[in-house]
Amino acid sequence: MTVQDFDAGVREAEPSILSAPTFDDDIDALELRLGADSLVWKFYGDIRGLFGFQRLAGTENCIEQLAKGVEDHSVIFSDFIGRARRTGPPIMRTVYSDDPYGWGHKVRDFHRDIKGTISDGSRYHALNPELFYWAHATFVDQVIYITDTFIRRLSDAEKEQIFEESKVWYQLYGVSARSQPQTYAEFLEYWNSMCDRFVPTKTIVYATGYLRQGIPGPRWIPKPVWKVASAPLNAFVRTVIIGTLPQQMRDVCRLEWNPRMQRRFDRFTRFMRALNPVFNRLPAKWLFVEWAYEGWEREGIDPRKIHNKPAQRRA
């Protein structure tokens, strides 16, 4: 999909909800889900995915229509942490629960009334396929980028497999896939073209304030004391979190980045990948977020035994 396609489609500002499929038998129902043999299952719920929280939320909200929906219809400015806690679990359950289709539709239906106008007066709707797919694409990117950067290097075939599995994931939401790239190569072109249209929205400038100004300290610590005490923490967070961001996002958010910071980031990511065998000796309950862990427990599979091994491509 080209930038022109996105512009034309998103300005329709109309939802495109698919009719619910009918499952004639259990086999049909099982096909519309991801399972424990998928790479998305294997990596999406890994606790190290938390390194990608700012890349995920940030890239989403650098697109004006999506950011305006967040600004107009959420409590991001008054309850930032609470909103994150309410948003993440339903999407996790779309992947890991025993009712992925039901949870996918819940996620979709949360967005039925999210609509409005942006700065040029044009309309937006959260369930417009171009806008809804962009939100999904940031999750696909997160799985691939964070795994390859912080867990272990992925082969090209594995990246392609994750993208193919992401098509099933998207189907679970019941929104038109008309804007979905058909190959991983097309997805990369799409991703780069979307990054090139990033703008400094109110939502993303607010959400990245801690990276420019430092992490706010507890009220009971005097500000001068916190400024000194938090300096190493802020240096670490700026290196690791800004390091995960596309350069286009750093630019629009006015986030400093230089070769010295890049070298620090590269050393840290190499260190994290070297620790992968150690992580895989942790209890599974510590290695995965709770919704992923519940899925592995339900399937009766210990993910630590397969975590370092390339999954077999499904027929």
Side-chain angles (χ1 to χ4, degrees), residues 26-97:
D26 290 340
I27 295 177
D28 289 338
L30 288 171
E31 285 180 348
L32 196 60
R33 67 173 63 216
L34 295 165
D37 60 340
S38 71
L39 288 178
V40 169
W41 257 61
K42 192 173 181 180
F43 294 119
Y44 175 42
D46 189 292
I47 194 69
R48 287 163 285 186
L50 293 175
F51 282 120
F53 80 93
Q54 189 64 85
R55 181 181 177 97
L56 172 67
T59 51
E60 275 192 9
N61 286 288
C62 282
I63 295 300
E64 186 176 8
Q65 289 89 347
L66 197 150
K68 197 65 168 65
V70 172
E71 180 184 337
D72 291 346
H73 297 276
S74 84
V75 292
I76 187 172
F77 299 111
S78 60
D79 186 16
F80 183 79
I81 300 298
R83 180 184 182 275
R85 288 174 175 169
R86 289 187 293 272
T87 300
I91 297 174
M92 278 280 178
R93 289 188 171 109
T94 300
V95 173
Y96 290 104
S97 79

Side-chain angles (χ1 to χ4, degrees), residues 21-301:
T22 57
F23 297 123
D24 296 329
D25 51 48
D26 290 340
I27 295 177
D28 289 338
L30 288 171
E31 285 180 348
L32 196 60
R33 67 173 63 216
L34 295 165
D37 60 340
S38 71
L39 288 178
V40 169
W41 257 61
K42 192 173 181 180
F43 294 119
Y44 175 42
D46 189 292
I47 194 69
R48 287 163 285 186
L50 293 175
F51 282 120
F53 80 93
Q54 189 64 85
R55 181 181 177 97
L56 172 67
T59 51
E60 275 192 9
N61 286 288
C62 282
I63 295 300
E64 186 176 8
Q65 289 89 347
L66 197 150
K68 197 65 168 65
V70 172
E71 180 184 337
D72 291 346
H73 297 276
S74 84
V75 292
I76 187 172
F77 299 111
S78 60
D79 186 16
F80 183 79
I81 300 298
R83 180 184 182 275
R85 288 174 175 169
R86 289 187 293 272
T87 300
I91 297 174
M92 278 280 178
R93 289 188 171 109
T94 300
V95 173
Y96 290 104
S97 79
D98 57 359
D99 182 21
Y101 185 76
W103 275 104
H105 277 58
K106 286 180 182 179
V107 171
R108 179 198 68 190
D109 292 343
F110 291 158
H111 297 83
R112 282 183 179 269
D113 297 323
I114 297 180
K115 56 187 176 180
T117 58
I118 61 172
S119 59
D120 65 1
S122 63
R123 297 179 304 129
Y124 71 84
H125 196 295
L127 293 182
N128 168 270
E130 282 67 32
L131 200 56
F132 199 78
Y133 184 78
W134 169 245
H136 176 65
T138 62
F139 284 87
V140 181
D141 167 78
Q142 182 199 29
V143 176
I144 294 173
Y145 177 84
I146 295 302
T147 302
D148 192 59
T149 303
F150 293 102
I151 300 178
R152 69 164 173 82
R153 291 303 194 191
L154 294 171
S155 67
D156 290 342
E158 287 175 316
K159 293 175 183 179
E160 291 171 3
Q161 182 175 338
I162 290 171
F163 171 72
E164 289 299 323
E165 291 169 357
S166 77
K167 294 180 181 179
V168 176
W169 187 357
Y170 188 72
Q171 278 186 281
L172 295 168
Y173 296 122
V175 177
S176 167
R178 73 185 185 192
S179 62
Q180 178 176 253
Q182 293 307 299
T183 66
Y184 181 57
E186 289 179 3
F187 177 81
L188 292 178
E189 291 181 11
Y190 163 77
W191 179 264
N192 291 331
S193 69
M194 291 297 289
C195 288
D196 287 340
R197 62 182 298 116
F198 283 178
V199 295
T201 65
K202 178 181 178 181
T203 301
I204 196 54
V205 170
Y206 169 81
T208 55
Y210 73 100
L211 293 171
R212 290 184 299 275
Q213 302 162 14
I215 298 171
R219 293 182 179 178
W220 53 271
I221 298 181
K223 289 184 178 180
V225 174
W226 177 251
K227 183 176 181 180
V228 174
S230 65
L233 175 61
N234 283 319
F236 175 78
V237 167
R238 284 173 176 142
T239 298
V240 174
I241 302 304
I242 298 177
T244 67
L245 306 180
Q247 185 59 47
Q248 296 95 325
M249 182 177 165
R250 296 173 191 152
D251 292 341
V252 301
C253 294
R254 294 179 287 109
L255 297 171
E256 180 186 1
W257 194 248
N258 55 52
R260 181 169 54 87
M261 296 175 76
Q262 183 66 54
R263 288 192 294 270
R264 287 179 185 168
F265 178 74
D266 291 341
R267 285 196 297 270
F268 179 74
T269 59
R270 286 195 297 269
F271 175 70
M272 287 298 299
R273 293 194 300 271
L275 284 180
N276 195 34
V278 177
F279 273 92
N280 282 293
R281 291 193 178 103
L282 295 174
K285 194 170 185 177
W286 296 1
L287 185 58
F288 288 87
V289 297
E290 63 176 293
W291 308 280
Y293 174 70
E294 289 170 2
W296 290 111
E297 283 285 286
R298 188 180 64 252
E299 295 295 318
I301 296 174

